[in-house]
Amino acid sequence: MKSFKLLSIVVIVAFLLAACGGGATAPKELKIAVLAPLSGPVPTFGEMTRDGALLAIEEWNAKGGVLGMTLVPVVEDSQCTPDPAVNAANKVVNQDKVHYIIGEVCSKASIPISEIANAAKVIQISPTSTNPSVTVDGNGITKPYIFRACFIDPFQGLVGAKFAIEKIGAKTAFVMVDQANDYVKGLAEFFEKAFTEAGGTIVGTESYTGSDTDFSAILAKIADAKPDVVYLPDYYNIVNLAMQQAKEKGITTPFLGGDGWDSADLNLAAAAGGYFTNHYSPDDPRPEVQDFRKAFEAKYNGKTPDALAALAYDATNLMLSAIKAAGADDTDKVKAALEAITFNGVSGTITFDASHNPVKSATILKVTAEGVKFEAVVNP
Amino acid sequence: MQSVSKPQKPPVIVSPNSFLAWIGKIFLLVIGLFAVYILAINLFDKPYLFAQNVINGIQLGFVYALIALGYTMVYGIVKLINFAHGDVFMVSAFVSFFAVERFALHQWPQRLFPGFNPSLSTVIGTVTTILLSMVICVLLAITIERVAYKPLREAPRIAALITAIGVSFFLEYFGLLNFVFSARYIPYQRPFEVVTWYIKDGIHLVESGVTPPDGAITISNILIIIIFATILVQIFLQYLVRRTKIGIAMRATSFDKPTARLMGIQVDKVISFTFAIGASFAALGGVLYAIAYPSIRTLMGVYPGLKAFVAAVLGGIGSIPGAFVGALIMGQAEAMTSGYISTPMRDAIAFSILILVLLIKPTGIFGEPEKEKA
């Protein structure tokens, strides 16, 4: 009996050693971290981001990986909140020794992650964080290892203002802003600037906090000020509540927002009549978009990809194309490759400017009770 | 040699409080006058906007009143601040959400008997939904009381207080799990449509896509329902506490527990009943709040709960009319702050009220100073 035990242990150890030996000769692995808010205030954003990134990684692996290395995704939940984001970034950088990060969704989480990644010479591409401070530090110097796949807040605010004046014909605007949210603040500031520069008047700016449910005081002021357009560049949860209450108070002024509106949980009945700037529309007829949509729907049981999925997919493809162009798992070479890249992605043709922000077109979508419709494309 | 300590003169106590209290009162007076000045200016500047803010404040205040009753009754009877109360409020919103979204309970008469009068069906269905939420929250509150508070009945009060905070966190973060309520903001499906009227030269219906004229004040059916429900609850509660046997038992238990027990009152049952009735009002508040502000999530009970707690303290914790008056004041304070200062300031003002009440009159408006028991 005893000898049988000994024998079985020897056999098991031999197997394990063989397995390890086999691993050493197999193609090397390349880890790609995906940091997304899978819990916290905006989990639908996180799920779409993860799904888009994983689809890109799967497609590259099906083509044999990058530079002969199999891609291994490391998915962490960074909760759209600074502290969990820092923990997740430290974990993937120090523990998993990852050299490439896709993420986060929210600017307030991406900014602390970018500090860690940049210090460790890890390349981060945020798919959807639009605040300028993600790629540029407090002194206006570009963080060398940090990029993004989306256009930035100034551009959304600018497009929003351009659209409000040219298409809606607005002369006056009212701005609602969450003072504690970098994303909302960034969009609102640049909207105000662009709107005023184009000859419009801001008739009021009111702030609230993200946990508010009652917007009646602000809406009373809007009803009193009678602006031509209300700019509300917040996430869907606030948009649902504020626009619902606006409808009930008989406010017919069109609302205008940013890509934070883009969610399956946006209440279409409440938000109907509103417009928002976005990165992509699944109804765009370009073949890149339609191929991506088909692949995504096939992988995820017919779920239609939104802009978060498209940008996560683009960000991952950007990263992998740059690694391939650099020819080595060396973040300095990959960084140089990204700076020189011209990448034809789902969300448009992407090149990077000196601040590592992409130069690309934006889409305006209109919310109707039946769904979100493609309205126009605005070029920078 | 041992010195015999001679009796010392009692030290003269100069109350450091008298001077500070004096300064404090002047300070308060200045703030109060300033607030009155600002409100008066705005009242004369745009009276309709002022009236609209008052109405917004009434809607909030009446919901807070429903929650505050539970805090004040439970405190009155077991001297426990039941911090899990705000989360019972949240559970109620979710129960009604699932009842409406998954089972269409708000339309059951029409689904059961096709051809039933649709508006009557909505009324009966909505009442059923609210009653279901109330029953489930009552069961939840009794369970919480049995599991978490009853074993600590004889323990120091701080132990029960900390347990209450623990229960509150448990409900919030258990609800946050994906297979429970998940972390997302869920658009709440209302059991009935909210209808709005505007008041200007009479009362008119607000039609979609038509802007009410300048200077109109809007009110909605949910506002009226909240006001009526809260007033009904107040009348019911007054009747219950003053006129029924269980009400007398509640008052006796709150006055002196050991003696009440000696007189044959089943103190544990009375305490459970108090938790149950407080939870049922919070549940009613939860459904009405979710209908008025239709977005729910597991942390939605935190702020309304804390503000209702402040309202209960302001009115005098332990006092039922106090909770009601305190809640109305809180609602107005919030609406006026967001109307005339700024919306993010309203939480700061709400909790400053708590601090001021505790500093100046800890017993609140209707509270009586604690009597020493012999």
PDB file of all heavy atoms in Angstrom, chain A residues 16-50:
ATOM      1  N   LEU A  16       3.563  16.502 -13.573  1.00  0.00           N
ATOM      2  CA  LEU A  16       3.619  17.948 -13.380  1.00  0.00           C
ATOM      3  C   LEU A  16       4.864  18.523 -14.042  1.00  0.00           C
ATOM      4  O   LEU A  16       4.814  19.549 -14.712  1.00  0.00           O
ATOM      5  CB  LEU A  16       3.627  18.286 -11.878  1.00  0.00           C
ATOM      6  CG  LEU A  16       2.268  18.169 -11.181  1.00  0.00           C
ATOM      7  CD1 LEU A  16       2.408  18.433  -9.697  1.00  0.00           C
ATOM      8  CD2 LEU A  16       1.280  19.150 -11.786  1.00  0.00           C
ATOM      9  N   LEU A  17       6.021  17.844 -13.851  1.00  0.00           N
ATOM     10  CA  LEU A  17       7.265  18.332 -14.441  1.00  0.00           C
ATOM     11  C   LEU A  17       7.143  18.363 -15.953  1.00  0.00           C
ATOM     12  O   LEU A  17       7.548  19.324 -16.610  1.00  0.00           O
ATOM     13  CB  LEU A  17       8.429  17.439 -14.018  1.00  0.00           C
ATOM     14  CG  LEU A  17       8.884  17.641 -12.574  1.00  0.00           C
ATOM     15  CD1 LEU A  17       9.972  16.645 -12.222  1.00  0.00           C
ATOM     16  CD2 LEU A  17       9.376  19.064 -12.378  1.00  0.00           C
ATOM     17  N   ALA A  18       6.535  17.305 -16.478  1.00  0.00           N
ATOM     18  CA  ALA A  18       6.356  17.242 -17.928  1.00  0.00           C
ATOM     19  C   ALA A  18       5.515  18.423 -18.406  1.00  0.00           C
ATOM     20  O   ALA A  18       5.813  19.052 -19.416  1.00  0.00           O
ATOM     21  CB  ALA A  18       5.690  15.914 -18.297  1.00  0.00           C
ATOM     22  N   ALA A  19       4.475  18.688 -17.621  1.00  0.00           N
ATOM     23  CA  ALA A  19       3.585  19.787 -18.002  1.00  0.00           C
ATOM     24  C   ALA A  19       4.340  21.105 -18.022  1.00  0.00           C
ATOM     25  O   ALA A  19       4.208  21.905 -18.940  1.00  0.00           O
ATOM     26  CB  ALA A  19       2.407  19.861 -17.022  1.00  0.00           C
ATOM     27  N   CYS A  20       5.191  21.286 -16.968  1.00  0.00           N
ATOM     28  CA  CYS A  20       5.964  22.527 -16.902  1.00  0.00           C
ATOM     29  C   CYS A  20       6.923  22.605 -18.074  1.00  0.00           C
ATOM     30  O   CYS A  20       7.049  23.633 -18.731  1.00  0.00           O
ATOM     31  CB  CYS A  20       6.766  22.609 -15.612  1.00  0.00           C
ATOM     32  SG  CYS A  20       5.712  22.829 -14.198  1.00  0.00           S
ATOM     33  N   GLY A  21       7.589  21.460 -18.336  1.00  0.00           N
ATOM     34  CA  GLY A  21       8.557  21.439 -19.432  1.00  0.00           C
ATOM     35  C   GLY A  21       7.870  21.785 -20.740  1.00  0.00           C
ATOM     36  O   GLY A  21       8.356  22.589 -21.522  1.00  0.00           O
ATOM     37  N   GLY A  22       6.662  21.203 -20.910  1.00  0.00           N
ATOM     38  CA  GLY A  22       5.901  21.481 -22.124  1.00  0.00           C
ATOM     39  C   GLY A  22       5.606  22.960 -22.250  1.00  0.00           C
ATOM     40  O   GLY A  22       5.712  23.541 -23.310  1.00  0.00           O
ATOM     41  N   GLY A  23       5.267  23.594 -21.087  1.00  0.00           N
ATOM     42  CA  GLY A  23       4.947  25.013 -21.090  1.00  0.00           C
ATOM     43  C   GLY A  23       6.128  25.853 -21.544  1.00  0.00           C
ATOM     44  O   GLY A  23       5.950  26.861 -22.214  1.00  0.00           O
ATOM     45  N   ALA A  24       7.330  25.435 -21.153  1.00  0.00           N
ATOM     46  CA  ALA A  24       8.509  26.237 -21.464  1.00  0.00           C
ATOM     47  C   ALA A  24       8.773  26.271 -22.965  1.00  0.00           C
ATOM     48  O   ALA A  24       9.238  27.277 -23.487  1.00  0.00           O
ATOM     49  CB  ALA A  24       9.715  25.689 -20.725  1.00  0.00           C
ATOM     50  N   THR A  25       8.462  25.177 -23.645  1.00  0.00           N
ATOM     51  CA  THR A  25       8.764  25.162 -25.067  1.00  0.00           C
ATOM     52  C   THR A  25       7.612  25.742 -25.890  1.00  0.00           C
ATOM     53  O   THR A  25       7.802  26.111 -27.033  1.00  0.00           O
ATOM     54  CB  THR A  25       9.047  23.729 -25.561  1.00  0.00           C
ATOM     55  OG1 THR A  25       7.957  22.910 -25.141  1.00  0.00           O
ATOM     56  CG2 THR A  25      10.342  23.195 -24.998  1.00  0.00           C
ATOM     57  N   ALA A  26       6.388  25.835 -25.274  1.00  0.00           N
ATOM     58  CA  ALA A  26       5.238  26.394 -25.989  1.00  0.00           C
ATOM     59  C   ALA A  26       5.471  27.881 -26.240  1.00  0.00           C
ATOM     60  O   ALA A  26       6.311  28.496 -25.590  1.00  0.00           O
ATOM     61  CB  ALA A  26       3.972  26.191 -25.181  1.00  0.00           C
ATOM     62  N   PRO A  27       4.693  28.504 -27.168  1.00  0.00           N
ATOM     63  CA  PRO A  27       4.854  29.931 -27.432  1.00  0.00           C
ATOM     64  C   PRO A  27       4.665  30.743 -26.151  1.00  0.00           C
ATOM     65  O   PRO A  27       3.864  30.392 -25.296  1.00  0.00           O
ATOM     66  CB  PRO A  27       3.742  30.239 -28.433  1.00  0.00           C
ATOM     67  CG  PRO A  27       3.156  28.965 -28.850  1.00  0.00           C
ATOM     68  CD  PRO A  27       3.701  27.876 -28.015  1.00  0.00           C
ATOM     69  N   LYS A  28       5.395  31.840 -26.019  1.00  0.00           N
ATOM     70  CA  LYS A  28       5.302  32.664 -24.819  1.00  0.00           C
ATOM     71  C   LYS A  28       3.954  33.352 -24.735  1.00  0.00           C
ATOM     72  O   LYS A  28       3.266  33.510 -25.724  1.00  0.00           O
ATOM     73  CB  LYS A  28       6.416  33.717 -24.834  1.00  0.00           C
ATOM     74  CG  LYS A  28       7.657  33.272 -24.095  1.00  0.00           C
ATOM     75  CD  LYS A  28       8.737  34.324 -24.158  1.00  0.00           C
ATOM     76  CE  LYS A  28       8.356  35.586 -23.396  1.00  0.00           C
ATOM     77  NZ  LYS A  28       9.329  36.667 -23.621  1.00  0.00           N
ATOM     78  N   GLU A  29       3.639  33.747 -23.520  1.00  0.00           N
ATOM     79  CA  GLU A  29       2.375  34.436 -23.319  1.00  0.00           C
ATOM     80  C   GLU A  29       2.616  35.925 -23.147  1.00  0.00           C
ATOM     81  O   GLU A  29       3.650  36.334 -22.617  1.00  0.00           O
ATOM     82  CB  GLU A  29       1.687  33.893 -22.058  1.00  0.00           C
ATOM     83  CG  GLU A  29       1.181  32.481 -22.241  1.00  0.00           C
ATOM     84  CD  GLU A  29       0.462  31.977 -21.014  1.00  0.00           C
ATOM     85  OE1 GLU A  29       0.640  32.585 -19.932  1.00  0.00           O
ATOM     86  OE2 GLU A  29      -0.275  30.990 -21.146  1.00  0.00           O
ATOM     87  N   LEU A  30       1.657  36.739 -23.608  1.00  0.00           N
ATOM     88  CA  LEU A  30       1.734  38.184 -23.412  1.00  0.00           C
ATOM     89  C   LEU A  30       0.453  38.607 -22.697  1.00  0.00           C
ATOM     90  O   LEU A  30      -0.650  38.383 -23.195  1.00  0.00           O
ATOM     91  CB  LEU A  30       1.846  38.882 -24.768  1.00  0.00           C
ATOM     92  CG  LEU A  30       2.002  40.397 -24.697  1.00  0.00           C
ATOM     93  CD1 LEU A  30       3.347  40.787 -24.110  1.00  0.00           C
ATOM     94  CD2 LEU A  30       1.845  40.996 -26.081  1.00  0.00           C
ATOM     95  N   LYS A  31       0.653  39.185 -21.499  1.00  0.00           N
ATOM     96  CA  LYS A  31      -0.539  39.546 -20.724  1.00  0.00           C
ATOM     97  C   LYS A  31      -1.008  40.950 -21.092  1.00  0.00           C
ATOM     98  O   LYS A  31      -0.206  41.869 -21.215  1.00  0.00           O
ATOM     99  CB  LYS A  31      -0.204  39.508 -19.228  1.00  0.00           C
ATOM    100  CG  LYS A  31      -0.092  38.109 -18.669  1.00  0.00           C
ATOM    101  CD  LYS A  31       0.253  38.172 -17.193  1.00  0.00           C
ATOM    102  CE  LYS A  31       0.356  36.785 -16.601  1.00  0.00           C
ATOM    103  NZ  LYS A  31       0.924  36.839 -15.245  1.00  0.00           N
ATOM    104  N   ILE A  32      -2.300  41.087 -21.283  1.00  0.00           N
ATOM    105  CA  ILE A  32      -2.924  42.392 -21.523  1.00  0.00           C
ATOM    106  C   ILE A  32      -3.939  42.602 -20.399  1.00  0.00           C
ATOM    107  O   ILE A  32      -4.854  41.798 -20.227  1.00  0.00           O
ATOM    108  CB  ILE A  32      -3.676  42.433 -22.869  1.00  0.00           C
ATOM    109  CG1 ILE A  32      -2.769  41.990 -24.017  1.00  0.00           C
ATOM    110  CG2 ILE A  32      -4.290  43.803 -23.121  1.00  0.00           C
ATOM    111  CD1 ILE A  32      -1.786  43.014 -24.481  1.00  0.00           C
ATOM    112  N   ALA A  33      -3.769  43.676 -19.626  1.00  0.00           N
ATOM    113  CA  ALA A  33      -4.713  43.949 -18.540  1.00  0.00           C
ATOM    114  C   ALA A  33      -5.893  44.735 -19.074  1.00  0.00           C
ATOM    115  O   ALA A  33      -5.730  45.649 -19.869  1.00  0.00           O
ATOM    116  CB  ALA A  33      -4.032  44.721 -17.430  1.00  0.00           C
ATOM    117  N   VAL A  34      -7.101  44.362 -18.620  1.00  0.00           N
ATOM    118  CA  VAL A  34      -8.311  45.123 -18.943  1.00  0.00           C
ATOM    119  C   VAL A  34      -8.896  45.606 -17.608  1.00  0.00           C
ATOM    120  O   VAL A  34      -9.337  44.791 -16.809  1.00  0.00           O
ATOM    121  CB  VAL A  34      -9.331  44.262 -19.713  1.00  0.00           C
ATOM    122  CG1 VAL A  34     -10.583  45.078 -20.019  1.00  0.00           C
ATOM    123  CG2 VAL A  34      -8.717  43.717 -20.984  1.00  0.00           C
ATOM    124  N   LEU A  35      -8.831  46.915 -17.367  1.00  0.00           N
ATOM    125  CA  LEU A  35      -9.387  47.476 -16.137  1.00  0.00           C
ATOM    126  C   LEU A  35     -10.722  48.135 -16.486  1.00  0.00           C
ATOM    127  O   LEU A  35     -10.754  49.083 -17.266  1.00  0.00           O
ATOM    128  CB  LEU A  35      -8.448  48.505 -15.526  1.00  0.00           C
ATOM    129  CG  LEU A  35      -7.026  48.020 -15.225  1.00  0.00           C
ATOM    130  CD1 LEU A  35      -6.241  49.101 -14.492  1.00  0.00           C
ATOM    131  CD2 LEU A  35      -7.040  46.755 -14.391  1.00  0.00           C
ATOM    132  N   ALA A  36     -11.800  47.614 -15.915  1.00  0.00           N
ATOM    133  CA  ALA A  36     -13.122  48.118 -16.272  1.00  0.00           C
ATOM    134  C   ALA A  36     -14.021  48.143 -15.036  1.00  0.00           C
ATOM    135  O   ALA A  36     -13.835  47.340 -14.132  1.00  0.00           O
ATOM    136  CB  ALA A  36     -13.733  47.232 -17.358  1.00  0.00           C
ATOM    137  N   PRO A  37     -14.978  49.062 -14.985  1.00  0.00           N
ATOM    138  CA  PRO A  37     -15.876  49.143 -13.823  1.00  0.00           C
ATOM    139  C   PRO A  37     -16.972  48.096 -13.881  1.00  0.00           C
ATOM    140  O   PRO A  37     -18.067  48.378 -14.327  1.00  0.00           O
ATOM    141  CB  PRO A  37     -16.457  50.560 -13.920  1.00  0.00           C
ATOM    142  CG  PRO A  37     -16.422  50.878 -15.367  1.00  0.00           C
ATOM    143  CD  PRO A  37     -15.247  50.152 -15.945  1.00  0.00           C
ATOM    144  N   LEU A  38     -16.678  46.890 -13.421  1.00  0.00           N
ATOM    145  CA  LEU A  38     -17.668  45.815 -13.485  1.00  0.00           C
ATOM    146  C   LEU A  38     -18.665  45.914 -12.352  1.00  0.00           C
ATOM    147  O   LEU A  38     -19.729  45.313 -12.383  1.00  0.00           O
ATOM    148  CB  LEU A  38     -16.964  44.463 -13.473  1.00  0.00           C
ATOM    149  CG  LEU A  38     -15.993  44.301 -14.642  1.00  0.00           C
ATOM    150  CD1 LEU A  38     -15.159  43.050 -14.492  1.00  0.00           C
ATOM    151  CD2 LEU A  38     -16.743  44.270 -15.959  1.00  0.00           C
ATOM    152  N   SER A  39     -18.295  46.678 -11.283  1.00  0.00           N
ATOM    153  CA  SER A  39     -19.289  47.022 -10.274  1.00  0.00           C
ATOM    154  C   SER A  39     -19.151  48.517 -10.066  1.00  0.00           C
ATOM    155  O   SER A  39     -18.395  49.171 -10.762  1.00  0.00           O
ATOM    156  CB  SER A  39     -19.048  46.247  -8.984  1.00  0.00           C
ATOM    157  OG  SER A  39     -17.878  46.694  -8.362  1.00  0.00           O
ATOM    158  N   GLY A  40     -19.856  49.081  -9.092  1.00  0.00           N
ATOM    159  CA  GLY A  40     -19.790  50.528  -8.904  1.00  0.00           C
ATOM    160  C   GLY A  40     -20.946  51.198  -9.617  1.00  0.00           C
ATOM    161  O   GLY A  40     -21.933  50.549  -9.947  1.00  0.00           O
ATOM    162  N   PRO A  41     -20.828  52.493  -9.892  1.00  0.00           N
ATOM    163  CA  PRO A  41     -21.989  53.217 -10.415  1.00  0.00           C
ATOM    164  C   PRO A  41     -22.365  52.886 -11.857  1.00  0.00           C
ATOM    165  O   PRO A  41     -23.505  53.079 -12.232  1.00  0.00           O
ATOM    166  CB  PRO A  41     -21.574  54.688 -10.293  1.00  0.00           C
ATOM    167  CG  PRO A  41     -20.102  54.675 -10.210  1.00  0.00           C
ATOM    168  CD  PRO A  41     -19.709  53.377  -9.583  1.00  0.00           C
ATOM    169  N   VAL A  42     -21.427  52.444 -12.679  1.00  0.00           N
ATOM    170  CA  VAL A  42     -21.734  52.256 -14.107  1.00  0.00           C
ATOM    171  C   VAL A  42     -21.301  50.878 -14.618  1.00  0.00           C
ATOM    172  O   VAL A  42     -20.509  50.771 -15.546  1.00  0.00           O
ATOM    173  CB  VAL A  42     -21.088  53.368 -14.963  1.00  0.00           C
ATOM    174  CG1 VAL A  42     -21.846  54.664 -14.811  1.00  0.00           C
ATOM    175  CG2 VAL A  42     -19.635  53.595 -14.585  1.00  0.00           C
ATOM    176  N   PRO A  43     -21.825  49.788 -14.026  1.00  0.00           N
ATOM    177  CA  PRO A  43     -21.358  48.454 -14.435  1.00  0.00           C
ATOM    178  C   PRO A  43     -21.669  48.122 -15.895  1.00  0.00           C
ATOM    179  O   PRO A  43     -20.936  47.343 -16.500  1.00  0.00           O
ATOM    180  CB  PRO A  43     -22.103  47.521 -13.490  1.00  0.00           C
ATOM    181  CG  PRO A  43     -23.235  48.292 -12.958  1.00  0.00           C
ATOM    182  CD  PRO A  43     -22.810  49.725 -12.957  1.00  0.00           C
ATOM    183  N   THR A  44     -22.715  48.730 -16.491  1.00  0.00           N
ATOM    184  CA  THR A  44     -22.987  48.397 -17.899  1.00  0.00           C
ATOM    185  C   THR A  44     -21.852  48.885 -18.782  1.00  0.00           C
ATOM    186  O   THR A  44     -21.509  48.246 -19.760  1.00  0.00           O
ATOM    187  CB  THR A  44     -24.303  49.031 -18.400  1.00  0.00           C
ATOM    188  OG1 THR A  44     -24.226  50.437 -18.194  1.00  0.00           O
ATOM    189  CG2 THR A  44     -25.506  48.495 -17.669  1.00  0.00           C
ATOM    190  N   PHE A  45     -21.243  50.014 -18.416  1.00  0.00           N
ATOM    191  CA  PHE A  45     -20.082  50.509 -19.163  1.00  0.00           C
ATOM    192  C   PHE A  45     -18.948  49.489 -19.089  1.00  0.00           C
ATOM    193  O   PHE A  45     -18.274  49.208 -20.073  1.00  0.00           O
ATOM    194  CB  PHE A  45     -19.586  51.833 -18.573  1.00  0.00           C
ATOM    195  CG  PHE A  45     -20.506  53.010 -18.791  1.00  0.00           C
ATOM    196  CD1 PHE A  45     -21.703  52.882 -19.459  1.00  0.00           C
ATOM    197  CD2 PHE A  45     -20.136  54.267 -18.315  1.00  0.00           C
ATOM    198  CE1 PHE A  45     -22.538  53.975 -19.655  1.00  0.00           C
ATOM    199  CE2 PHE A  45     -20.963  55.362 -18.511  1.00  0.00           C
ATOM    200  CZ  PHE A  45     -22.162  55.221 -19.178  1.00  0.00           C
ATOM    201  N   GLY A  46     -18.743  48.971 -17.882  1.00  0.00           N
ATOM    202  CA  GLY A  46     -17.629  48.053 -17.656  1.00  0.00           C
ATOM    203  C   GLY A  46     -17.791  46.766 -18.440  1.00  0.00           C
ATOM    204  O   GLY A  46     -16.849  46.266 -19.052  1.00  0.00           O
ATOM    205  N   GLU A  47     -19.016  46.231 -18.450  1.00  0.00           N
ATOM    206  CA  GLU A  47     -19.237  44.965 -19.142  1.00  0.00           C
ATOM    207  C   GLU A  47     -18.978  45.129 -20.641  1.00  0.00           C
ATOM    208  O   GLU A  47     -18.324  44.286 -21.255  1.00  0.00           O
ATOM    209  CB  GLU A  47     -20.676  44.489 -18.903  1.00  0.00           C
ATOM    210  CG  GLU A  47     -20.860  43.938 -17.501  1.00  0.00           C
ATOM    211  CD  GLU A  47     -22.309  43.964 -17.040  1.00  0.00           C
ATOM    212  OE1 GLU A  47     -23.209  44.063 -17.900  1.00  0.00           O
ATOM    213  OE2 GLU A  47     -22.525  43.905 -15.811  1.00  0.00           O
ATOM    214  N   MET A  48     -19.482  46.208 -21.218  1.00  0.00           N
ATOM    215  CA  MET A  48     -19.293  46.436 -22.655  1.00  0.00           C
ATOM    216  C   MET A  48     -17.810  46.612 -22.992  1.00  0.00           C
ATOM    217  O   MET A  48     -17.326  46.097 -24.001  1.00  0.00           O
ATOM    218  CB  MET A  48     -20.082  47.681 -23.081  1.00  0.00           C
ATOM    219  CG  MET A  48     -21.544  47.388 -23.334  1.00  0.00           C
ATOM    220  SD  MET A  48     -21.722  46.260 -24.724  1.00  0.00           S
ATOM    221  CE  MET A  48     -23.471  46.299 -24.999  1.00  0.00           C
ATOM    222  N   THR A  49     -17.098  47.349 -22.126  1.00  0.00           N
ATOM    223  CA  THR A  49     -15.675  47.580 -22.354  1.00  0.00           C
ATOM    224  C   THR A  49     -14.913  46.262 -22.327  1.00  0.00           C
ATOM    225  O   THR A  49     -14.092  45.966 -23.203  1.00  0.00           O
ATOM    226  CB  THR A  49     -15.136  48.532 -21.275  1.00  0.00           C
ATOM    227  OG1 THR A  49     -15.890  49.735 -21.330  1.00  0.00           O
ATOM    228  CG2 THR A  49     -13.667  48.822 -21.477  1.00  0.00           C
ATOM    229  N   ARG A  50     -15.206  45.446 -21.308  1.00  0.00           N
ATOM    230  CA  ARG A  50     -14.534  44.157 -21.195  1.00  0.00           C
ATOM    231  C   ARG A  50     -14.845  43.306 -22.421  1.00  0.00           C
ATOM    232  O   ARG A  50     -13.943  42.708 -23.020  1.00  0.00           O
ATOM    233  CB  ARG A  50     -15.029  43.455 -19.924  1.00  0.00           C
ATOM    234  CG  ARG A  50     -14.485  42.068 -19.730  1.00  0.00           C
ATOM    235  CD  ARG A  50     -15.290  41.309 -18.701  1.00  0.00           C
ATOM    236  NE  ARG A  50     -16.677  41.163 -19.133  1.00  0.00           N
ATOM    237  CZ  ARG A  50     -17.676  40.830 -18.324  1.00  0.00           C
ATOM    238  NH1 ARG A  50     -17.458  40.652 -17.045  1.00  0.00           N
ATOM    239  NH2 ARG A  50     -18.901  40.700 -18.786  1.00  0.00           N
TER     240      ARG A  50
END
